[in-house]
Amino acid sequence: MKVALLPGDGIGPEITPAAVRALAELAPDIELVEAPFGAAGIRGFGTPLPDETLRACKEADAVLKGPIGDPEFDAADVRPEQGVFVLRSELGVYANLRPARDAGTDLLIVRELLGGIYYGARGVRDDGTVYDTCEYRPDQVERVVRRSFELARRRSCKLTSIDKANVLETSRMWRRVVREVAVDYPDVELQDMLIDNAAMQLARAANQFDVLVADNMFGDILSDLAAAVTGGLGLAPSASLGDGPGGLFEPVHGSAPDIAGRGCANPSAMLRSTAMMLDLAFDRHDEARALEDAVDRTIAGTPTPDIGGSASTTEFADAVLAALAR
Ligand code: NAD
């Protein structure tokens, strides 16, 4: 079994060792193949996703990725973020699962990952107008919606579909496809909700939701909001899945350049992404649960500064390993 390990940029290389230590403890048979990605790829190879890195990802049984991004390249033609979009496309991972939970809330946002405004035509017209277009094919919507119904069925049989059908053509098609797929899932209670209302409801009472499905941009924004109301970005993991085995597992947060190099980043999201990988890519459910429990206990007992404590990244990782050993 092989995992391509992409530590990434900023706090990425600081939080990755926690995941490496947890995997050595829980799944020592899994071989980790480390590869440069993001700004690290640009610096070493002139591209955020070097060929060798892409090959390692495709040959692996799963990909565990730290965050990428570096202010040094914000205005450059070649930027770290471009590599993420290519990697997701190359791996065909269209369903991005973003769980968010705390004492009162336990929800799952399923974000469409390979279409919409992040992939549509963009440019600058002669008169200086700049445009990005949101485009979806019905089959792109259908596969992620079907996946969401399946996931809802394994939870509390409640699905909320997010759109902006009162304004956008793509959203009207999205809603139509959702209705068509719903016929196959009569046991799942479905509601449509406009994105603006959904943001308000999430901020006000996140515990009313179970599974939510949204397009690429709406899902991106809503999942940051869900992370914020359930403890913060440092806690939020994600799994990106296609139709094949494996997948891409990464924290929701970015490279946090404002705290990079200080040794205080919270590795919880990276560790929870590792747990999702053990669970979903390797069917190692007991190990995944053990890691989740160890992280939960460490969040409560040895918190990092972003969640009100003073533990360093290494102290947090030490506490997780100690909890795993118990
Ligand atoms: P960010 O998620 O990096 O940071 C937002 C805030 O959350 C910052 O104050 C940061 O300190 C804090 N934070 C994030 N993760 C944390 C953690 N683990 N522990 C403690 N605090 C944490 O978002 P940003 O500042 O908007 O973006 C920074 C860079 O990351 C940009 O270049 C962006 O493009 C990139 N980015 C990459 C990904 C990815 O790799 N998938 C995702 C989002 C942003």
Side-chain angles (χ1 to χ4, degrees):
M1 291 287 158
K2 246 186 218 176
V3 166
L5 182 69
L6 316 180
D9 307 318
I11 61 169
E14 300 172 37
I15 57 175
T16 298
V20 172
R21 291 173 65 188
L23 283 172
E25 179 71 23
L26 292 166
D29 57 311
I30 293 180
E31 184 192 343
L32 301 177
V33 181
E34 193 172 320
F37 186 52
I42 298 175
R43 288 199 187 92
F45 302 87
T47 167
L49 179 57
D51 290 346
E52 278 291 297
T53 300
L54 180 59
R55 194 169 315 125
C57 292
K58 286 188 160 178
E59 282 173 11
D61 299 290
V63 179
L64 182 60
K65 172 191 159 298
I68 53 88
D70 190 316
E72 182 191 331
F73 297 104
D74 275 354
D77 287 338
V78 180
R79 294 183 301 280
E81 290 79 1
Q82 293 160 340
V84 177
F85 293 104
V86 179
L87 180 63
R88 290 170 178 164
S89 284
E90 287 283 339
L91 296 176
V93 287
Y94 60 81
N96 181 216
L97 279 51
R98 296 185 160 196
R101 64 182 165 86
D102 63 11
T105 299
D106 183 0
L107 61 83
L108 175 67
I109 295 179
V110 184
R111 167 191 172 197
E112 198 290 324
L113 204 57
L114 296 182
I117 198 164
Y118 293 178
Y119 283 89
R122 65 194 56 193
V124 184
R125 293 203 192 95
D126 291 344
D127 69 354
T129 308
V130 183
Y131 62 94
D132 298 280
T133 47
C134 182
E135 297 177 24
Y136 269 112
R137 293 189 319 271
D139 63 301
Q140 283 178 302
V141 177
E142 189 193 334
R143 62 186 182 180
V144 74
V145 166
R146 199 167 281 286
R147 191 77 172 242
S148 305
F149 272 105
E150 293 290 338
L151 288 160
R153 208 171 233 181
R154 274 183 257 143
R155 293 171 53 108
S156 67
C157 281
K158 223 178 118 191
L159 178 66
T160 306
S161 172
I162 310 299
D163 60 41
K164 187 70 181 169
N166 54 342
V167 179
L168 301 175
E169 280 303 327
T170 44
S171 280
R172 279 192 275 276
M173 181 272 280
W174 178 282
R175 201 175 271 212
R176 197 181 64 241
V177 171
V178 167
R179 288 293 151 109
E180 286 164 10
V181 175
V183 172
D184 295 336
Y185 299 89
D187 50 322
V188 176
E189 184 193 327
L190 169 71
Q191 68 170 337
D192 298 302
M193 194 176 279
L194 297 174
I195 175 66
D196 33 0
N197 183 27
M200 195 260 286
Q201 297 293 341
L202 259 180
R204 199 181 60 84
N207 61 358
Q208 70 186 282
F209 295 107
D210 187 34
V211 181
L212 302 92
V213 60
D215 81 3
N216 205 338
M217 185 166 72
F218 293 160
D220 193 8
I221 296 169
L222 276 192
S223 55
D224 268 32
L225 178 55
V229 300
T230 54
L233 268 180
L235 305 181
S238 86
S240 303
L241 309 175
D243 287 326
L248 169 65
F249 301 84
E250 59 179 318
V252 167
H253 64 72
S255 56
D258 55 336
I259 58 163
R262 294 201 206 149
C264 64
N266 188 341
S268 296
M270 188 70 174
L271 287 162
R272 285 177 164 172
S273 302
T274 307
M276 290 184 87
M277 179 180 80
L278 288 169
D279 188 37
L280 298 169
F282 295 104
D283 284 332
R284 301 198 186 181
H285 311 299
D286 293 344
E287 290 85 347
R289 180 150 310 160
L291 182 51
E292 272 173 22
D293 288 349
V295 172
D296 284 352
R297 268 182 278 155
T298 308
I299 288 169
T302 316
T304 42
D306 58 306
I307 48 173
S310 59
S312 69
T313 310
T314 307
E315 285 164 350
F316 189 99
D318 289 345
V320 169
L321 266 289
L324 283 176
R326 277 203 290 275

